[in-house]
Structures are given as structure tokens and as C-alpha cells.
Amino acid sequence: KEYEEVAQELKVYSYKYGITKQVIQSTVNEELIENIRQRYHKPFEETYNQLKEYIKDLEEKQRVFQMFVQKIDEVNRKESARNSN
């Protein structure tokens, strides 16, 4: 559930970051560009990068947990096979 929430938030910030980048590229006024960059673009970029790192951590935890579950299942199968003999 946490992974899905972070993935959704990452998607939103990806859009926000992309939109502000396009606005900056299509704007001619340097003062306006700097305001957009400082108020929106940089904070969106920072949050986007933080979320990317966080989701990588969650993916690693999920992978380790899955390996743990697989090992438990493997041990249970071996024990079941021994008990049935």
C-alpha cells in the first residue's frame, strides 16, 4: 500500500516537474523564468528526486521480503517432504 501511494505521488511530481520545465522553456521573460524556477521547478525537482530514492528503498525492501518468504516456503516444503516419508 505504501509503495502504491509513493508511486502515485512520484507520478504527480513527475508531471509537475515536467510541466514547469516546459513553461520555463517557453517563457521569454528572464525574471519570470527565475521566479518559476525558484518557487516551483526546484522544489518539485527536489521532491521528485526524494520520492525516486524512497521508492527505490521500498522496492529493495519488497525484494528482500519476497526472498525471505520464498526461503520460508522452501523450508516448509522440505519439512513437509520429510514428514511425509
Side-chain angles (χ1 to χ4, degrees):
K1 182 179 178 183
E2 183 180 9
Y3 178 85
E4 293 301 321
E5 289 172 0
V6 173
Q8 185 62 34
E9 192 172 356
L10 180 61
K11 192 177 200 180
V12 169
Y13 274 91
S14 173
Y15 291 141
K16 288 180 177 184
Y17 175 67
I19 289 168
T20 56
K21 186 175 183 177
Q22 289 175 352
V23 169
I24 288 170
Q25 290 172 345
S26 65
T27 303
V28 182
N29 183 322
E30 285 298 320
E31 184 180 339
L32 189 55
I33 289 173
E34 193 54 35
N35 283 338
I36 292 168
R37 198 174 268 134
Q38 292 303 316
R39 274 190 191 182
Y40 302 103
H41 190 68
K42 287 188 183 207
F44 290 161
E45 181 180 22
E46 289 170 7
T47 302
Y48 173 75
N49 288 330
Q50 289 170 351
L51 289 169
K52 271 184 14 180
E53 287 301 312
Y54 187 51
I55 207 158
K56 283 181 188 177
D57 289 344
L58 288 175
E59 287 170 346
E60 180 64 17
K61 287 178 183 178
Q62 187 177 31
R63 188 183 66 78
V64 169
F65 179 77
Q66 191 59 41
M67 285 175 28
F68 182 70
V69 168
Q70 288 172 345
K71 290 293 181 185
I72 290 173
D73 288 345
E74 184 179 320
V75 168
N76 286 339
R77 280 193 307 273
K78 287 179 182 179
E79 285 180 3
S80 292
R82 283 185 201 154
N83 290 338
S84 63
N85 289 337

